[in-house]
Amino acid sequence: MNSLPTVNPWIDQLAPYVAGSAKAPGHAHPVKLSSNENPWGASPRALDAMREAAAAAHRYPEGSATILREALATLHNLDPDRIVCGTGSDEILQLIPSLYCAPGDSVVYVRHGFMVYPIAARRAGAEPIAAPDTNYTADVDALLATIRPDTRVVFLANPNNPTGTMIPASDVARLHAGLRPDIVLVLDQAYAEYLDAPDPDGALALATTAANVVATRTFSKIYGLGGARVGWATGPKAIIDNIAKVRAPFSVSNSAIAAATAALADQAFVATCRAENNRLRAELVSAIEGLGNHGLTAIPSVANFVLMACPTQGPLAAPAIHAGLMARGFITRHLPGQGLPHAVRISIGTEPETRGVIAALRDLAAA
């Protein structure tokens, strides 16, 4: 008698990625602050380009996204032949362990890091290992101490999701200097544009000069194109070429290429979103700090969200706050699956949305 198909054991160990909720029972139009999206949307120029590109929906896209790669190279002073685009940066992050790990190898990432990293490791049959952090921030010494002889990839999100913390370029360089040359260091800069610097932690520069560093970015955050699913990476040509070999054919659609290229050309829109985000983030942090006597703490963030640490018990514990905000029409993110059962992540919304969630937090604290 034939047995049923059996999945590879390392796939059986996977926990699927869980996206931020978009629904709040009893609210037809809740305020979604669960997915770190740009509440101001995409540049009007990007939306116009997307609509125009839709007329060619019957045509396959140009496979290597040459126009977009050239625009990225011009903006960031990079070699277009050392850029690869994907279906969000997620596709690229998923592929790297598949390229460089064998079953039984290990992948290191920071505790309380992006959920995709352990998934990408398991997908390749590798063991994900979370390095300890310090005060919700990557600790270079702890990362280096976690490296094993079988480690093949190290992931570092900087700024980090879901904590919003960041280490400086000097620490990133020290991390790289402490790694064996056969380890691929992946520097995930998904939130880099929220800092007013072209390369805030030196990841792009390091990916240009080092033989084992890849820097990734996305159009899903400040560019407001999460639904278009487009991201990119740069690094040594050998690694970029290997990623290009295994990524899905036509992985970036015509509309996504057009929208992302137009979005890059509208840096004034990016600057406006950055300034508004940083202003409202400071307002949210100040409000949480004002509730410190209730046991609420804002973890310092440089991204478009704030991680709020809560009491472990009582009416202001994280599950209760998450539920209380949901009942008031504000969807946030409770993070027990990332080792943060005591924390709620709140994305920055528009001014009315941010002030609304602040009022809801104060209401919960006063109850």
Side-chain angles (χ1 to χ4, degrees), residues 8-9 39 46 111 295 350 364:
N8 287 325
R111 179 177 59 182
T350 62
L364 288 167

Side-chain angles (χ1 to χ4, degrees), residues 183-196:
I183 294 175
V184 179
L185 174 60
V186 183
L187 300 172
D188 182 350
Q189 288 190 313
Y191 299 93
E193 287 89 359
Y194 286 101
L195 292 106
D196 192 10

Side-chain angles (χ1 to χ4, degrees), residues 28 71 79 88 106 130 136 145 219 248 307 356 363:
D79 180 353
S106 64
Y136 300 95
F219 285 88
L307 184 71
D363 184 41

